[in-house]
Amino acid sequence: VGSEMCIRDRSDFAGLSMVSPESVGFSSERLGKISRVMEDAIDHKQVPGVATVVARKGEIVHAHAAGKLDIERPELLGMDSLFRMYSQSKPITAVVAMTLFEEGLIFLDDPITKWLPEFENRRVVSYPTAKDRVKGASIELAGSEAASRDLTIFDLMTMTSGLPGMSRTPVAYWHQYYPSMEGSGFVPGDTLINDPPRTYEEMVLSLADVPLHSQPGEVWNYGADFDVLSLLLERASGKPLNELFKERVLQPLSMNDTGFYCDPGEVHRLVTDHAWNEKGEIVPRERPEDAEKASGANRKLMSGNGLFGGLLSTPQDYARFAQMLLNGGTLDGQRILGRKTIEMLRTNHIGDRQIDLGPGPGWGFGLGYAVRSSLGGGFGPGSLGAFAWGGAAGTWFFVDPVEDMWAMFFTHVFGYQFSPTADLPIRFENMVYQALV
């Protein structure tokens, strides 16, 4: 079901040289476990297909694609297949934002109201006191109070803004929160998959009607921060998001297959988005011929946060992005960001707080990336300062500057990481580290 891309077959992958694992400190035998585990998972229909890539010291040591574009169809998955990156669009969005930062067009402590006046005079949810709750007051009866300060770009990029999120926004405010998510396919019970009744800008601006769940800068929460950032970047630059991404990152890195929409002639490379049915079986959720990503380019549902699938990319393209990050902002003579700016992106900015969605204990957050802040108490091997992020369909990548390596895992099952049996990205990362010698 799979095909290992070896130096016997190819001398490069995405413009990066392919070398023997031993030449850069890996064991071929141990690294080979990855392909066997992935193919076994496909044989048992745990996933429709998987692509995995590992690189160290600027060289590719493992690139393996297995399975199918669609679990019910014969077409095979390849390294040039187009995956919906969902939230794994955020790392690219963060880099785009920091190119504007380097030019002085935006600053991290800028209030977002400079470009988004709709978010002035924020309110924050105020909960009944313990004394009131004893008297019978319900948390659903939460009120609101004035925010202590304006939201900043730093709040958005560190996901500490207090903007609404499904895990923290009280039920009393869901009727106001729902318009920002309706038609995205993310809200339980929402049958409109990637078919919202509003424009993307209207969805983002509807968030201004919902009180913050906490004071700005106080709480890390997975919410709408990067959707608000996406609209801010458009207004600050005066350019649509697709043009801005192409100009700042995609074109300079020759990521020619990456974008928010699929060209009509490339639909055959677009993976089917899958999900689990009530029986726990993987079934198609959105096929290429029905996909908004292939047919709705005129709608401009472009989210740097990952709604509507976020960016489309291939393992080959994303490999170039990962190597640029590891190189300190440059690849093939093209400098995307300065070395010190990359350090800002991959520095933990939330102190001792840990993120409540992602790789587990011992991880903080930088500017768009989870950052390994502690090895003690963690559930897997790694290095301090490693940084990573993933997407809602099960994609995941990490960059480890200490070991001078990066690795990525791509599959295409919506909500993959929320299944208790969906452990392939974790197993993949463990197998990468156990193969170091």
Side-chain angles (χ1 to χ4, degrees):
V1 297
S3 57
E4 192 84 33
M5 301 176 66
C6 304
I7 56 173
R8 294 187 300 273
D9 307 316
R10 295 185 52 165
S11 60
D12 70 273
F13 176 89
L16 303 172
S17 299
M18 298 192 73
V19 301
S20 68
E22 279 72 16
S23 69
V24 291
F26 274 107
S27 161
S28 294
E29 180 183 358
R30 284 178 165 267
L31 205 58
K33 295 178 183 179
I34 295 174
S35 303
R36 295 192 293 273
V37 167
M38 299 307 158
E39 292 184 12
D40 182 69
I42 293 165
D43 289 342
H44 288 86
K45 297 189 181 299
Q46 296 173 8
V47 284
V50 174
T52 50
V53 187
V54 182
R56 195 175 194 214
K57 299 181 180 179
E59 315 279 12
I60 302 293
V61 295
H62 163 93
H64 180 260
K68 299 178 180 179
L69 295 170
D70 186 308
I71 200 167
E72 297 176 355
R73 295 176 175 178
E75 289 79 15
L76 297 180
L77 189 76
M79 288 296 179
D80 64 346
S81 296
L82 291 162
F83 290 78
R84 296 163 184 80
M85 302 312 298
Y86 285 106
S87 289
Q88 203 172 312
S89 304
K90 287 182 182 67
I92 298 180
T93 305
V95 168
V96 170
M98 295 307 282
T99 66
L100 303 186
F101 164 83
E102 286 192 334
E103 292 180 5
L105 189 59
I106 64 174
F107 294 96
L108 295 184
D109 59 348
D110 280 337
I112 69 170
T113 52
K114 183 175 179 180
W115 296 276
L116 300 170
E118 295 89 348
F119 286 85
E120 290 179 345
N121 302 317
R122 293 287 73 222
R123 304 286 296 176
V124 182
V125 172
S126 59
Y127 299 98
T129 64
K131 183 177 181 180
D132 290 334
R133 287 199 294 273
V134 169
K135 294 178 180 179
S138 169
I139 195 170
E140 282 78 15
L141 300 179
S144 67
E145 59 189 17
S148 59
R149 60 169 174 81
D150 288 335
L151 302 183
T152 65
I153 294 175
F154 183 81
D155 294 329
L156 298 180
M157 294 191 70
T158 56
M159 299 182 75
T160 59
S161 66
L163 282 164
M166 283 186 280
S167 65
R168 293 188 184 270
T169 299
V171 173
Y173 294 107
W174 263 70
H175 69 286
Q176 293 172 276
Y177 175 47
Y178 188 69
S180 71
M181 299 290 287
E182 183 183 14
S184 66
F186 275 84
V187 180
D190 187 358
T191 59
L192 300 174
I193 298 176
N194 302 328
D195 187 22
R198 299 167 183 82
T199 66
Y200 178 58
E201 181 172 350
E202 289 170 342
M203 294 174 74
V204 174
L205 293 180
S206 72
L207 292 163
D209 298 327
V210 191
L212 305 177
H213 60 71
S214 56
Q215 289 288 351
E218 288 187 352
V219 175
W220 190 94
N221 180 64
Y222 190 87
D225 303 67
F226 271 68
D227 279 310
V228 175
L229 180 64
S230 296
L231 182 57
L232 186 150
L233 294 178
E234 285 196 324
R235 291 190 180 180
S237 67
K239 297 179 180 180
L241 213 59
N242 58 339
E243 292 183 16
L244 186 62
F245 276 51
K246 184 176 181 180
E247 172 192 294
R248 299 302 177 115
V249 174
L250 305 180
Q251 196 167 54
L253 289 181
S254 298
M255 296 173 64
N256 300 319
D257 287 328
T258 303
F260 288 98
Y261 284 95
C262 178
D263 291 335
E266 304 300 329
V267 174
H268 65 283
R269 292 199 283 136
L270 180 60
V271 301
T272 290
D273 206 13
H274 296 81
W276 282 282
N277 64 16
E278 294 179 354
K279 298 179 181 179
E281 302 164 329
I282 292 176
V283 296
R285 178 175 184 261
E286 185 185 56
R287 283 184 157 139
E289 61 266 28
D290 304 317
E292 198 277 332
K293 284 293 182 189
S295 61
N298 60 327
R299 298 188 67 191
K300 297 183 179 178
L301 295 175
M302 299 178 292
S303 164
N305 195 28
L307 287 184
F308 322 113
L311 286 165
L312 298 176
S313 192
T314 66
Q316 291 173 329
D317 269 13
Y318 216 91
R320 295 186 60 76
F321 179 72
Q323 189 63 51
M324 178 275 294
L325 293 173
L326 185 58
N327 289 349
T330 186
L331 182 67
D332 294 344
Q334 294 290 321
R335 179 156 293 279
I336 308 302
L337 287 176
R339 175 172 57 86
K340 301 302 288 186
T341 307
I342 292 289
E343 287 182 13
M344 291 180 68
L345 286 172
R346 61 182 182 86
T347 293
N348 176 31
H349 291 290
I350 64 171
D352 294 335
R353 289 170 290 176
Q354 295 188 9
I355 62 177
D356 56 12
L357 179 73
W363 289 79
F365 203 76
L367 302 178
Y369 302 78
V371 179
R372 189 75 182 260
S373 57
S374 172
L375 297 181
F379 297 148
S383 302
L384 290 176
F387 55 108
W389 202 244
T395 60
W396 174 255
F397 91 116
F398 69 92
V399 180
D400 186 333
V402 174
E403 294 292 345
D404 196 7
M405 75 175 184
W406 58 262
M408 60 188 188
F409 168 98
F410 280 25
T411 192
H412 43 305
V413 182
F414 183 77
Y416 179 82
Q417 59 269 59
F418 298 113
S419 169
T421 61
D423 60 2
L424 284 177
I426 298 171
R427 296 177 69 187
F428 166 69
E429 187 165 339
N430 290 345
M431 286 186 289
V432 171
Y433 278 109
Q434 62 85 36
L436 288 168
V437 296

